[in-house]
């Protein structure tokens, strides 16, 4: 049974069909080897599909199948067979926080127990297998390539990278360090680090900087990125030297050296001019047409990023006359959200419509000068568009300078913690956490997953499915076709009592209408009701039962009741109320 993973919904899916496997891989599912070996004939395991949640469910129990069909699930026939000799149990667990991908199935007892410790519900044995499966491990960083407007990995899966730019290597070399890069990856959800090598600024590569030292720092950064599993950009950071041709010869010599050194490193990306300014696209184009062949002479594949006019804003102009005869090239767009808004987004829309591959190799939510006030709303509007187009993004900058775009607060050291984050750093951490898409890694070809396990008694270790972080102020549960979401909206103390206000949302997940519904909420301790609305509420100890009032007794298919709510009280000493 092939096992596949959908990084968008978190669902694992199992199929015996190689054709179905391949078509799912083609649309972005990750191949994870085999889940188990099934018998060819035995007890049927039914496969069902929930068109609302986009989720599959599998069961041996025909009564459970029929009940789900009544609730609107689609029966998809027999998925596979369970071994009547009960050779090897396939355990089933349920994640109460997930809407889709809520079940996991495994023959590995360790995985089963691990998930239960993480808060999954034990649903015991789903069915029986003949032998364990064989997980494939996808690891390492895949060589990327450009296709249309997209960045794809070696398995042609779409990749959207997010990460951070160092500050100028000449100014802040101390952040080029494996421990810092590890912090950015583990705590700030980074997958790519940009090494900003200023050319003309004080102490830059073409302005008195110690070139050997700067190159050693780049090498340290390239190695640290690799050691922490991140891509890395070598950024020729022109800025006050607005015309890239000013240092054309130095750029050619530099990229000849870099590409010779890193031609076999799949994680290295070259950015040949940060922010051209006061110069036409024709001049930048001519520069690029000379520097790119220098890189290609050594490294035929590495991604190359090319700056665009007006501090890398005019992607629309580049799109009207892109480079020719080059491959794996993308064009950069930079924005600082407090300054650059709809007008620059329109340029991106124009460029995207013309098929220009765009990479946001630098951005911030401060003003264009890297300082001033932050505009998170504008930053969020930018994120939606980048997400819609699947454009990779790199934030400015890993530093503790007293300016708004620094990720870390002034005075903090390089022994970083999340307490060191500036307001901009906090926005990046939260935004990147929300948008995180795991890197797929280099996966063995599917056929290798067909091998019979060499030692059937050794349990395989399939990748652990993602657990949705449980939000203590919200709880979601589904019972039959009713999904309930209970959200803590407010909490206050008055007259020596704690008051907790909840909003309750009920959704009919089925395709038939639901009447005489009943919902229940259980807390970790007894509560009493202070106020309630739009339902009949009764408390028994720590359990609340909700039944309809005359005007909301029926919920149409797919519809929600959103106006139910309650305020409950606990004694002053009971400060930790949580939903079970
Ligand atoms: C800025 C730094 C600032 C420094 C200046 C010149 O934040 O402390 O004084 O460079 O060395 C860019 C550039 C990037 C700028 C950044 C903020 O690529 O080098 O860094 N910015 O001004 N483009 C738009 C904004």
């Amino acid at each position: 049974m092939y096992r596949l993973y959908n990084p968008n919904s978190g669902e694992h899916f199992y199929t015996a069909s190689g054709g179905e496997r391949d078509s799912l891989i083609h649309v972005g599912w990750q191949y994870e080897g085999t889940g188990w070996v099934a018998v060819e004939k035995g007890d049927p395991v039914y496969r069902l599909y929930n068109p609302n949640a986009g989720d599959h469910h599998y069961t041996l129990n025909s009564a459970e199948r029929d009940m789900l069909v009544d609730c609107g699930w689609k029966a998809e026939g027999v998925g596979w067979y369970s071994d009547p000799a009960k050779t090897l149990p396939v355990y089933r667990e349920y994640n109460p926080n997930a809407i889709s991908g809520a079940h996991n199935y495994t023959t590995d007892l360790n995985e089963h127990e691990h998930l239960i410790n993480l808060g999954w519900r034990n649903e015991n044995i789903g069915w029986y297998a003949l032998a364990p499966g064989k997980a494939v491990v996808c690891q390492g960083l895949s060589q990327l390539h450009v296709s249309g407007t997209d960045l794809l990995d070696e398995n042609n899966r779409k990749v959207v990278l997010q990460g951070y730019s160092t500050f100028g290597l000449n100014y802040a070399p101390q952040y080029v360090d494996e421990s810092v890069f590890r912090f950015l990856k583990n705590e700030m959800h980074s997958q790519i680090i940009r090494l900003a090598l200023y050319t003309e600024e004080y102490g830059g590569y073409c302005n008195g900087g110690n070139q050997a030292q700067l190159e050693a720092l780049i090498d340290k950064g390239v190695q640290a990125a690799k050691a922490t599993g991140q891509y890395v950009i070598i950024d020729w950071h022109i800025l006050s030297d607005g015309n890239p041709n000013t240092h054309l010869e130095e750029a050619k010599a530099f990229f000849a050296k870099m590409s010779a050194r890193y031609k076999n490193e799949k994680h290295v990306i070259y950015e040949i001019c940060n922010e051209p300014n006061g110069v036409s696209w024709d001049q930048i184009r001519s520069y690029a047409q000379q520097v790119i062949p220098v890189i290609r002479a050594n490294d035929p594949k590495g991604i190359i990023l090319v700056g665009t006019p007006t501090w890398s804003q005019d992607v629309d102009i580049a799109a009207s006359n892109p480079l020719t005869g080059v491959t794996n090239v993308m064009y950069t767009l930079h924005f600082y959200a407090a300054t650059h808004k709809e007008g620059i987004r329109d340029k991106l829309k124009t460029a995207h419509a013309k098929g220009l591959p765009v990479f946001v190799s630098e951005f911030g939510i401060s003003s264009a000068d890297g300082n001033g006030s932050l505009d998170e709303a504008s930053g969020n509007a930018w994120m939606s568009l980048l997400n819609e187009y699947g454009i990779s993004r790199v934030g400015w900058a890993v530093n503790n300078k007293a300016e708004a775009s620094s990720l870390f607060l002034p005075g903090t050291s390089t022994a970083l913690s999340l307490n060191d984050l500036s307001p901009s750093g906090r926005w990046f951490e939260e935004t990147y956490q929300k948008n995180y898409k795991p890197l797929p890694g280099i996966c063995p070809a599917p056929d290798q997953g067909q091998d019979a396990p060499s030692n059937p008694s050794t349990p395989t270790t399939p990748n652990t499915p993602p657990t949705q972080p449980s939000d203590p102020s919200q709880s979601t549960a589904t019972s039959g076709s009713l999904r309930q979401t209970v959200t803590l909206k407010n909490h206050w103390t008055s007259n020596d009592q704690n008051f907790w206000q909840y909003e309750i949302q009920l959704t009919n997940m089925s395709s038939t209408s639901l009447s005489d519904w009943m919902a229940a909420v259980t807390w970790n301790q007894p509560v009493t009701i202070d106020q309630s609305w739009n339902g009949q509420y009764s408390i028994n100890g720590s359990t609340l039962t909700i039944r309809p009032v005359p005007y909301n007794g029926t919920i149409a298919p797919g519809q929600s009741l959103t106006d139910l709510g309650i305020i409950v009280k606990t004694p002053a000493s009971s400060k930790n109320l949580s939903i079970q």
Side-chain angles (χ1 to χ4, degrees):
M1 297 302 310
Y2 301 112
R3 169 165 155 157
L4 295 124
Y5 174 68
N6 182 333
N8 297 318
S9 69
E11 183 188 357
H12 281 98
F13 178 74
Y14 306 87
T15 178
S17 153
E20 187 172 30
R21 170 199 67 195
D22 293 341
S23 64
L24 289 175
I25 292 171
H26 188 71
V27 297
W29 289 66
Q30 289 174 31
Y31 177 62
E32 294 192 337
T34 50
W36 66 92
V37 179
V39 284
E40 279 189 29
K41 271 275 165 286
D43 303 323
V45 176
Y46 304 104
R47 167 170 147 181
L48 295 121
Y49 179 68
N50 179 336
N52 296 316
D55 193 14
H56 287 88
H57 186 66
Y58 315 98
T59 181
L60 262 175
N61 182 337
S62 57
E64 184 182 16
R65 176 199 61 193
D66 296 343
M67 194 269 290
L68 289 171
V69 168
D70 284 346
C71 292
W73 290 67
K74 256 183 69 203
E76 293 192 335
V78 175
W80 53 84
Y81 295 93
S82 176
D83 180 7
K86 303 197 170 174
T87 308
L88 181 70
V90 178
Y91 300 102
R92 169 169 146 177
E93 310 89 24
Y94 173 73
N95 180 346
N97 296 315
I99 290 171
S100 98
H103 284 94
N104 184 61
Y105 310 96
T106 180
T107 57
D108 180 355
L109 191 56
N110 288 331
E111 181 183 351
H112 180 64
E113 286 169 352
H114 174 70
L115 291 176
I116 289 161
N117 281 336
L118 286 176
W120 291 59
R121 288 197 196 131
N122 184 353
E123 294 194 340
N124 304 309
I125 294 169
W127 51 85
Y128 292 88
L130 201 53
K134 191 173 174 188
V136 296
V137 180
C138 302
Q139 56 191 2
L141 292 172
S142 195
Q143 174 67 56
L144 303 175
H145 64 279
V146 178
S147 169
T149 58
D150 295 335
L151 204 48
L152 303 184
D153 76 354
E154 287 168 27
N155 296 84
N156 287 325
R157 291 169 300 204
K158 193 165 163 170
V159 173
V160 181
L161 299 169
Q162 58 183 25
Y164 301 97
S165 180
T166 66
F167 202 71
L169 297 180
N170 52 326
Y171 299 125
Q174 68 276 21
Y175 287 96
V176 180
D177 190 87
E178 195 177 312
S179 68
V180 172
F181 289 12
R182 202 173 292 287
F183 173 85
L184 294 170
K185 178 183 169 157
N186 292 345
E187 307 291 334
M188 296 188 64
H189 328 291
S190 168
Q191 302 162 321
I192 181 165
I193 303 286
R194 177 184 192 234
L195 303 170
L197 177 73
Y198 278 98
T199 48
E200 188 65 58
E201 265 53 33
Y202 175 77
Y205 193 85
C206 306
N207 184 15
N210 182 325
Q211 297 192 344
Q213 263 175 27
L214 289 165
E215 285 171 20
L217 204 52
I218 286 184
D219 194 57
K220 190 178 175 200
V222 168
Q223 304 311 335
K226 189 173 183 181
T228 57
Q230 300 183 77
Y231 288 90
V232 68
I233 299 175
I234 299 174
D235 160 35
W236 184 254
H237 201 89
I238 65 164
L239 187 60
S240 53
D241 43 344
N243 184 343
N245 295 298
T246 311
H247 295 297
L248 173 65
E249 291 313 318
E250 289 101 321
K252 280 165 90 177
F254 174 76
F255 282 109
K257 209 185 251 179
M258 293 298 117
S259 56
R261 203 170 276 169
Y262 302 121
K263 59 177 185 242
N264 296 321
E265 298 289 3
K266 293 180 169 189
H267 71 304
V268 171
I269 294 174
Y270 309 94
E271 181 168 1
I272 62 173
C273 48
N274 167 48
E275 288 185 356
N277 55 89
V279 64
S280 70
W281 170 238
D282 280 350
Q283 287 167 289
I284 303 167
R285 207 174 175 279
S286 136
Y287 166 82
Q289 298 280 20
Q290 296 174 72
V291 175
I292 291 172
V294 171
I295 297 175
R296 286 289 174 252
N298 293 319
D299 183 342
K301 289 189 186 156
I303 303 288
I304 298 175
L305 307 179
V306 181
T308 55
T310 323
W311 294 278
S312 290
Q313 291 164 24
D314 297 340
V315 282
D316 52 339
I317 297 178
S320 62
N321 185 18
L323 299 168
T324 48
V326 296
T327 51
N328 294 325
V329 164
M330 300 182 100
Y331 299 80
T332 65
L333 171 69
H334 291 180
F335 63 85
Y336 281 78
T339 305
H340 306 126
K341 300 185 177 178
E342 203 57 50
I344 313 286
R345 282 200 291 277
D346 285 344
K347 287 174 176 286
L348 173 55
K349 289 177 188 168
T350 304
H352 187 78
K354 289 192 172 154
L356 194 78
V358 173
F359 194 110
V360 172
S361 58
E362 187 185 306
F363 79 103
I365 56 168
S366 67
S367 302
D369 62 357
N371 217 339
S373 52
L374 303 180
D375 190 336
E376 300 195 358
S378 170
N380 295 339
W382 271 104
M383 282 302 119
S384 318
L385 188 63
L386 298 188
N387 289 343
E388 186 187 327
Y389 291 166
I391 293 180
S392 297
R393 67 290 307 250
V394 174
W396 182 265
V398 181
N399 201 13
N400 65 355
K401 183 174 172 177
E403 68 177 353
S405 59
S406 288
L407 294 175
F408 303 106
L409 292 167
T412 54
S413 77
T414 55
L416 294 163
S417 96
L418 289 176
N419 294 329
D420 299 334
L421 292 181
S422 68
S424 167
R426 274 207 304 276
W427 181 85
F428 271 103
E429 190 278 321
E430 283 163 20
T431 303
Y432 278 3
Q433 178 174 46
K434 263 187 267 166
N435 291 318
Y436 188 78
K437 294 218 170 72
L439 290 178
I442 303 165
C443 307
D447 280 340
Q448 295 178 23
Q450 286 173 2
D451 298 347
S454 49
N455 176 2
S457 65
T458 311
T460 54
T461 334
N463 301 344
T464 305
T467 41
Q468 209 123 308
S470 54
D471 175 353
S473 67
Q474 188 169 70
S475 111
T476 300
T478 306
S479 148
S481 51
L482 189 66
R483 184 166 86 209
Q484 66 178 58
T485 303
V486 183
T487 309
L488 181 66
K489 299 304 274 187
N490 206 351
H491 168 226
W492 66 94
T493 310
S494 159
N495 292 333
D496 268 351
Q497 287 200 296
N498 283 299
F499 291 80
W500 314 80
Q501 180 181 341
Y502 292 92
E503 176 187 279
I504 298 157
Q505 183 168 342
L506 301 176
T507 304
N508 175 2
M509 304 292 288
S510 76
S511 55
T512 52
S513 70
L514 183 68
S515 45
D516 282 337
W517 50 266
M518 188 186 97
V521 179
T522 302
W523 284 276
N524 61 341
Q525 55 184 283
V527 299
T528 52
I529 296 180
D530 178 57
Q531 286 177 45
S532 65
W533 46 96
N534 296 324
Q536 297 180 58
Y537 298 80
S538 61
I539 288 274
N540 184 356
S542 51
T543 297
L544 169 75
T545 307
I546 316 167
R547 291 179 182 280
V549 284
Y551 52 84
N552 61 14
T554 302
I555 312 176
Q559 297 298 300
S560 301
L561 299 179
T562 55
D563 56 359
L564 290 97
I566 189 167
I567 299 173
V568 296
K569 295 186 285 191
T570 57
S573 56
S574 301
K575 293 226 178 306
N576 291 316
L577 185 67
S578 62
I579 293 170
Q580 296 283 282

